[in-house]
């Protein structure tokens, strides 16, 4: 049984660009950096050595997001939402329209056809899906109530 949340890892092609995106669009803050080129990393990640990994850890409201940049990156296919595995990040924002505008200014893309007024999907500069939830709607209330009940 797990005893604590650690982090979510996200492979990116340009560490500085992705860091700016998550900091400037969503307000993540830098926590720490890590660089490794030892034999443990390729073994743990099932990648061929030698391998260099640079990582930046960003924090937001208890979430630790690890941005991973490898000395070699491969894209095999674009994942779809109904493919098993992690599908997206989901973040609350205070101003949905301002966030949509910021996404485009910082190298991301808005999936305009998904905008339902209180939520929309956007993509970071590498195409990672991010569900952005603004004020209104019922999900924020459901989440907050459930978390309060779990704390009791």
């Amino acid at each position: 049984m797990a005893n604590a949340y650690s982090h979510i890892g996200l492979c990116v092609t340009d560490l500085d660009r992705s860091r700016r995106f998550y900091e400037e669009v969503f307000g993540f803050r830098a926590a720490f950096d890590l660089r490794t080129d030892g034999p443990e990393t390729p073994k743990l990640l099932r990648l061929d050595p030698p391998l260099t990994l640079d990582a930046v850890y960003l924090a937001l409201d208890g979430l630790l997001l690890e941005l991973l940049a490898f000395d070699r990156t491969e894209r095999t296919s674009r994942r779809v939402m109904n493919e098993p595995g992690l599908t997206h990040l989901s973040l609350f924002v205070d101003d949905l329209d301002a966030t949509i505008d910021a996404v485009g200014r910082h190298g991301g893309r808005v999936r305009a056809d998904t905008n339902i007024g209180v939520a929309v999907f956007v993509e970071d500069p590498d195409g990672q899906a991010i569900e952005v939830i603004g004020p209104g709607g019922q999900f924020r209330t459901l989440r907050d109530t459930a978390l309060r009940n779990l704390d009791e």
Side-chain angles (χ1 to χ4, degrees), residues 22-145:
Y22 283 94
E23 288 176 344
E24 295 175 17
V25 174
F26 296 111
F28 278 85
R29 295 183 338 203
F32 61 95
D33 297 353
L34 173 73
R35 180 182 181 92
T36 180
D37 58 6
E40 319 74 36
T41 301
K43 179 176 176 135
L44 177 66
L45 303 180
R46 289 186 170 173
L47 294 171
D48 293 328
L51 181 73
T52 300
L53 165 67
D54 288 295
V56 170
Y57 292 80
L58 304 175
L60 178 70
D61 192 32
L63 171 69
L64 194 61
L65 179 63
E66 175 190 35
L67 302 179
L68 305 118
F70 295 93
D71 57 352
R72 61 184 190 277
T73 303
E74 302 172 18
R75 181 181 300 269
T76 55
S77 67
R78 184 163 304 271
R79 295 186 61 235
V80 293
M81 288 293 285
N82 60 350
E83 182 178 329
L86 292 174
T87 59
H88 64 286
L89 302 175
S90 183
L91 302 169
F92 289 125
V93 298
D94 293 329
D95 187 330
L96 190 61
D97 291 332
T99 302
I100 288 170
D101 184 53
V103 165
R105 284 194 331 268
H106 291 91
R109 187 174 78 83
V110 177
R111 296 179 182 176
D113 61 317
T114 69
N115 191 334
I116 60 170
V118 296
V120 64
F121 268 89
V122 302
E123 295 176 7
D124 78 1
D126 286 304
Q128 173 61 51
I130 305 165
E131 179 184 26
V132 181
I133 303 172
Q138 66 178 343
F139 185 77
R140 191 182 297 233
T141 302
L142 290 170
R143 176 199 175 268
D144 291 347
T145 300

